[in-house]
Amino acid sequence: AQSVSQHNHHVILSEAASLELGCNYSYGGTVNLFWYVQYPGQHLQLLLKYFSGDPLVKGIKGFEAEFIKSKFSFNLRKPSVQWSDTAEYFCAVNTGGTGGGNKLTFGTGTQLKVEL
Amino acid sequence: DTGVSQDPRHKITKRGQNVTFRCDPISEHNRLYWYRQTLGQGPEFLTYFQNEAQLEKSRLLSDRFSAERPKGSFSTLEIQRTEQGDSAMYLCASSIDSGSGWETQYFGPGTRLLVL
């Protein structure tokens, strides 16, 4: 069964600092990869996704992620964080395909706190 | 608002009681998923429907859990004889099957269940 690891459980940054959140998955086949974000008091929202093609994907609010197949990684980056980026970030993998099995497997999440 | 909606948003019940949650997906979405999220963890897949057919169930879904999507629109998740270990956030997500097998799931706000 596939699994997703997020190694940073809590991250504290100052505004304008750069962010990189790690995500590694275990699955040898074709995958879709996602980052979801949950702002305080809000529901899970899609930040960005990778289906195929360019391994560097850009999402909302200046976030980007790079899919490195050889490392089974999909790390999330932002060059300069803002206080409003304070949230919990979840990496997820969908091994998908026709006929079913499109469930998402999530990591345990990374709680990001951005200080002024 | 055309997003995924869930009702109720909060439920407190006593151990042994039955509870039922409702999910209304985005209107044109034919796939509907249920996940459970406990504190400090990412969401875990429970079950999913394509139209009215329940295509996959997790082993997390014990016999006390049942889900339905009778007309391929809204879905209900019932937990019978609740236990304290059922306390969690129950999330619903929906997506549209584009035919490629790859899809993006959109999440609702969740129903937070507390079993006393």
Side-chain angles (χ1 to χ4, degrees):
Chain A
Q2 62 269 27
S3 65
V4 178
S5 297
Q6 292 182 243
H7 306 295
N8 314 103
H9 298 295
H10 292 90
V11 173
I12 301 174
L13 294 173
S14 299
E15 264 204 330
S18 63
L19 170 72
E20 181 160 3
L21 301 182
C23 173
N24 288 89
Y25 65 94
S26 64
Y27 185 74
T30 303
V31 293
N32 290 166
L33 296 156
F34 303 82
W35 277 96
Y36 282 87
V37 60
Q38 189 165 24
Y39 298 103
Q42 297 186 28
H43 60 279
L44 277 169
Q45 300 172 38
L46 181 68
L47 200 55
L48 49 77
K49 63 188 178 186
Y50 171 79
F51 281 178
S52 63
D54 189 344
L56 184 63
V57 293
K58 296 189 183 299
I60 60 172
K61 303 186 180 185
F63 285 91
E64 65 179 30
E66 185 175 13
F67 170 50
I68 303 179
K69 189 174 182 179
S70 61
K71 295 185 177 180
F72 298 90
S73 70
F74 190 55
N75 292 355
L76 181 70
R77 299 194 292 250
K78 186 171 184 178
S80 176
V81 295
Q82 300 174 312
W83 179 79
S84 58
D85 293 325
T86 295
E88 190 157 20
Y89 293 80
F90 293 94
C91 181
V93 60
N94 172 9
T95 54
T98 56
N102 286 308
K103 61 190 177 188
L104 292 176
T105 299
F106 283 84
T108 53
T110 296
Q111 187 67 52
L112 171 66
K113 182 178 179 182
V114 180
E115 296 180 330
L116 295 171
Chain B
D1 186 6
T2 57
V4 178
S5 61
Q6 293 187 245
D7 184 69
R9 296 289 303 277
H10 299 89
K11 179 71 177 178
I12 300 174
T13 191
K14 293 182 179 179
R15 185 165 50 97
Q17 298 295 304
N18 299 344
V19 294
T20 300
F21 311 140
R22 177 181 170 122
C23 171
D24 287 89
I26 295 170
S27 61
E28 67 270 23
H29 284 189
N30 58 350
R31 286 187 169 170
L32 187 147
Y33 298 79
W34 286 98
Y35 292 83
R36 181 172 68 186
Q37 185 178 16
T38 53
L39 200 61
Q41 301 296 318
E44 294 176 293
F45 169 80
L46 292 179
T47 188
Y48 99 96
F49 293 84
Q50 176 143 341
N51 301 311
E52 65 275 9
Q54 189 173 18
L55 295 186
E56 188 171 353
K57 293 194 290 186
S58 164
R59 57 185 171 78
L60 292 176
L61 212 66
S62 75
D63 291 345
R64 296 184 298 105
F65 288 71
S66 63
E68 293 183 341
R69 194 182 184 200
K71 297 181 180 179
S73 56
F74 73 92
S75 176
T76 57
L77 178 68
E78 181 183 17
I79 309 174
Q80 295 182 325
R81 305 180 304 280
T82 52
E83 302 173 356
Q84 289 182 325
D86 297 330
S87 296
M89 175 75 88
Y90 290 84
L91 297 169
C92 177
S94 72
S95 68
I96 190 162
D97 176 16
S98 63
S100 68
W102 304 123
E103 63 193 52
T104 299
Q105 294 177 30
Y106 296 89
F107 283 80
T111 294
R112 185 170 295 281
L113 173 67
L114 177 61
V115 182
L116 301 176

